[in-house]
Amino acid sequence: MAKFTVQPGVVIDGFVLGECVHRGGMATLWSACREDIADPVLMKIPRVSEGEDPAAIVSFEMEQMILPKLTGIHVPRCYAAGDFVRQAYVAIERIPGKTLYPRLEELPLPYEEARVIALKIADALSDLHRQNVIHHDIKPSSILFRPSGEAVLVDFGLSHHNQLPDLLQEEFRVPYGTAPYMAPERLLGVRDDPRSDLFSLGVLLYFFTTGVRPFGESETLAGMRRRLWRDPYPPRQLKKDYPPWLQEVVLRCLEIDPAWRYPTASQLAFELAHPEQIKLTARSERLKRDPLSTVWRRRFNGNPIQPRKPSAVAAQLAASPILAVAVDLTEGPAEMNEALRVTVARILKTSPLARLACLNVLKLGRVTIDRTLDEEGNNKHVSRLVTLKHWASPLKLDESRLTVHVLESVDPAGAILEFAEANHVDHIVIGARQNSLVRSLLGSTSAKVASEASCTVTVVRPARQATPSGTRDTPDDARSMPAI
């Protein structure tokens, strides 16, 4: 049991407590400092007095296990943790600024501002899921932003780590979470699906753009269970000027069956980063909820959520990669473009949930003034977008899985690398430049991309032409390598 009286001035494992900055239902937060840590520290201490919810202790144990394993800009740094033998606590980085909670007084927010906020949260979730963690408590008070703009996720007491024991699952049968944001499958005991976080983000985006919670304010379990069969009112019924692309995103996140949502947070972030290329479906135009016949079928004909075989979070992310292919539309020979298409088709065949981004770089002069029109008076940028779509058409991809992008830059390799980093690209396919004086002097774009990318890169060479004797050299179709 705790041997400390928690109050300002108390020293716990070298940390000197300051003021109490927040008293929550499961823990209190204190400012703290330690001589060897220059940055501000926040100490989280669980509530363990008589009458407190036992789940608070289990939740704190989960946070103690998970926080030290997390890294990156989207989570607070964990400095130390104490056990329940002396004094349970976690000491973490204190992020300057406020959470999203005070913004509730300003709702609804402008659509563009809400889009940017949701994009930053989706980026943070993408990073978290890649670390095998599902947050399970995405809500305004669990999200704040660094001065540099990145979203930071806090409060991991309800989280699930794919490689650690799930104490909440093992010890309790009641789903814990914040009712308005809880995904339907959570009510059925499912805690290992990262798409649950996308549902919660959809709730937040709906709320921030309409000022109304999609499922009301009900906190009862019976009220929450209605979302297993009842969809929310489409935002366009509430706001006539609601953008169709935004309703498409929100309603896809709020699908009852996780299989109908975005497969990964990375793909959701990609959509939010490129709203002009979102494939609109019937969701985008809906003005009414599903008819009662559909609701009754969901409610009385069995579980509407399709069963899913247990799988690792990492395995699910690997099945839904973002693939980028760099296509040279000006100097690239037909053989190269065909080799790129064949390689991309092979990769897509193994990943049926993958998204493909077709890239072309419109190279700008370093000192010259670039013309936007070609010799025939056509806009170069638009012409290349059309040509990229034509290049991709033989792949026969659904439009929801395909986007095309013309990047303008003096440095093609740098533009490709920047796009890949900003859009969570998992795999880049690029053609190797043929032997030339330019390549010998400056190096190739593909070599720079392969050496500097933070994802897998496949460098493609076209099949060699037949030799004079009629034989054909064995082609070096593609060389795949992880980035160095």
Side-chain angles (χ1 to χ4, degrees), residues 417-440:
L417 290 168
E418 183 178 351
F419 180 92
E421 186 69 24
N423 292 281
H424 306 287
V425 170
D426 301 288
H427 193 158
I428 300 172
V429 179
I430 188 171
R433 176 182 282 176
Q434 303 304 300
N435 291 329
S436 67
L437 178 61
V438 175
R439 178 182 180 183
S440 63

Side-chain angles (χ1 to χ4, degrees), residues 382-395:
V382 174
S383 296
R384 294 193 181 198
L385 287 175
V386 173
T387 307
L388 277 176
K389 288 188 176 181
H390 178 73
W391 178 90
S393 60
L395 297 173

Side-chain angles (χ1 to χ4, degrees), residues 248-287:
E248 179 73 32
V249 171
V250 168
L251 293 186
R252 185 171 178 184
C253 289
L254 296 180
E255 287 283 358
I256 295 173
D257 190 335
W260 288 95
R261 299 174 205 153
Y262 291 97
T264 65
S266 294
Q267 292 203 19
L268 171 57
F270 192 97
E271 293 271 78
L272 290 167
H274 307 282
E276 72 285 351
Q277 296 205 47
I278 292 175
K279 168 64 175 177
L280 301 182
T281 68
R283 293 189 193 96
S284 67
E285 299 295 334
R286 288 180 57 189
L287 297 175

Side-chain angles (χ1 to χ4, degrees), residues 160-474:
H160 169 89
H161 193 299
N162 190 60
Q163 298 172 349
L164 295 173
D166 192 334
L167 303 182
L168 286 171
Q169 183 85 333
E170 294 172 359
E171 299 183 30
F172 301 96
R173 294 296 175 263
V174 177
Y176 280 91
T178 305
Y181 297 89
M182 191 178 295
E185 63 273 14
R186 293 283 311 285
L187 303 173
L188 302 176
V190 176
R191 283 181 47 82
D192 63 347
D193 195 327
R195 294 170 296 190
S196 297
D197 282 344
L198 306 189
F199 184 94
S200 300
L201 179 51
V203 173
L204 187 148
L205 186 54
Y206 185 112
F207 187 27
F208 272 46
T209 51
T210 66
V212 178
R213 297 189 193 276
F215 302 102
E217 305 288 342
S218 175
E219 296 287 338
T220 66
L221 186 59
M224 292 166 57
R225 290 188 65 86
R226 281 196 292 270
R227 69 192 64 175
L228 286 166
W229 56 79
R230 199 31 156 156
D231 58 316
Y233 289 101
R236 297 193 69 193
Q237 182 177 349
L238 305 177
K239 298 187 69 178
K240 302 303 182 184
D241 66 338
Y242 206 85
W245 67 264
L246 185 54
Q247 177 161 299
E248 179 73 32
V249 171
V250 168
L251 293 186
R252 185 171 178 184
C253 289
L254 296 180
E255 287 283 358
I256 295 173
D257 190 335
W260 288 95
R261 299 174 205 153
Y262 291 97
T264 65
S266 294
Q267 292 203 19
L268 171 57
F270 192 97
E271 293 271 78
L272 290 167
H274 307 282
E276 72 285 351
Q277 296 205 47
I278 292 175
K279 168 64 175 177
L280 301 182
T281 68
R283 293 189 193 96
S284 67
E285 299 295 334
R286 288 180 57 189
L287 297 175
K288 297 181 180 180
R289 294 198 291 181
D290 289 334
L292 288 178
S293 58
T294 301
V295 175
W296 289 336
R297 185 169 64 251
R298 290 184 185 134
R299 183 171 185 179
F300 299 110
N301 290 358
N303 178 15
I305 298 177
Q306 297 299 315
R308 183 175 80 93
K309 293 182 179 179
S311 63
V313 174
Q316 184 166 332
L317 299 181
S320 311
I322 295 178
L323 175 67
V325 55
V327 184
D328 189 343
L329 300 175
T330 54
E331 301 177 0
E335 295 84 0
M336 172 65 79
N337 286 342
E338 179 59 27
L340 284 170
R341 191 159 40 231
V342 169
T343 301
V344 168
R346 290 173 180 169
I347 297 172
L348 291 173
K349 189 174 182 179
T350 63
S351 303
L353 295 178
R355 167 186 282 280
L356 175 65
C358 300
L359 313 180
N360 175 256
V361 181
L362 180 58
K363 189 172 182 180
L364 304 178
R366 293 184 182 274
V367 294
T368 60
I369 298 177
D370 297 284
R371 295 170 56 90
T372 59
L373 303 181
D374 59 21
E375 291 77 5
E376 299 177 357
N378 299 314
N379 185 284
K380 295 179 183 179
H381 195 108
V382 174
S383 296
R384 294 193 181 198
L385 287 175
V386 173
T387 307
L388 277 176
K389 288 188 176 181
H390 178 73
W391 178 90
S393 60
L395 297 173
K396 300 186 183 304
L397 277 180
D398 184 272
E399 291 185 14
S400 64
R401 296 175 58 200
L402 173 68
T403 54
V404 294
H405 310 266
V406 175
L407 315 176
E408 299 187 9
S409 175
V410 297
D411 177 15
I416 294 169
L417 290 168
E418 183 178 351
F419 180 92
E421 186 69 24
N423 292 281
H424 306 287
V425 170
D426 301 288
H427 193 158
I428 300 172
V429 179
I430 188 171
R433 176 182 282 176
Q434 303 304 300
N435 291 329
S436 67
L437 178 61
V438 175
R439 178 182 180 183
S440 63
L441 293 175
L442 302 178
S444 70
T445 297
S446 58
K448 181 176 180 180
V449 170
S451 64
E452 297 183 18
S454 58
C455 62
T456 299
V457 177
T458 296
V459 180
V460 178
R461 296 181 184 277
R464 297 173 185 172
Q465 300 298 318
T467 63
S469 62
T471 61
R472 185 179 180 87
D473 292 340
T474 302

Side-chain angles (χ1 to χ4, degrees), residues 88-157:
Y89 72 87
V90 287
I92 60 175
E93 171 190 8
R94 184 172 185 178
I95 311 294
K98 298 180 180 179
T99 68
L100 277 176
Y101 188 79
R103 302 297 305 275
L104 300 188
E105 298 180 357
E106 306 171 33
L107 302 186
L109 298 183
Y111 299 129
E112 176 60 17
E113 183 178 2
R115 179 192 71 84
V116 173
I117 289 174
L119 170 59
K120 292 180 178 181
I121 299 171
D123 282 338
L125 286 173
S126 174
D127 184 59
L128 185 70
H129 293 169
R130 289 171 187 269
Q131 298 184 61
N132 290 294
V133 176
I134 305 168
H135 192 278
H136 282 320
D137 201 20
I138 294 299
K139 58 185 179 181
S141 59
S142 298
I143 303 158
L144 43 78
F145 296 88
R146 294 187 183 276
S148 51
E150 297 87 357
V152 180
L153 306 177
V154 297
D155 294 338
F156 292 89

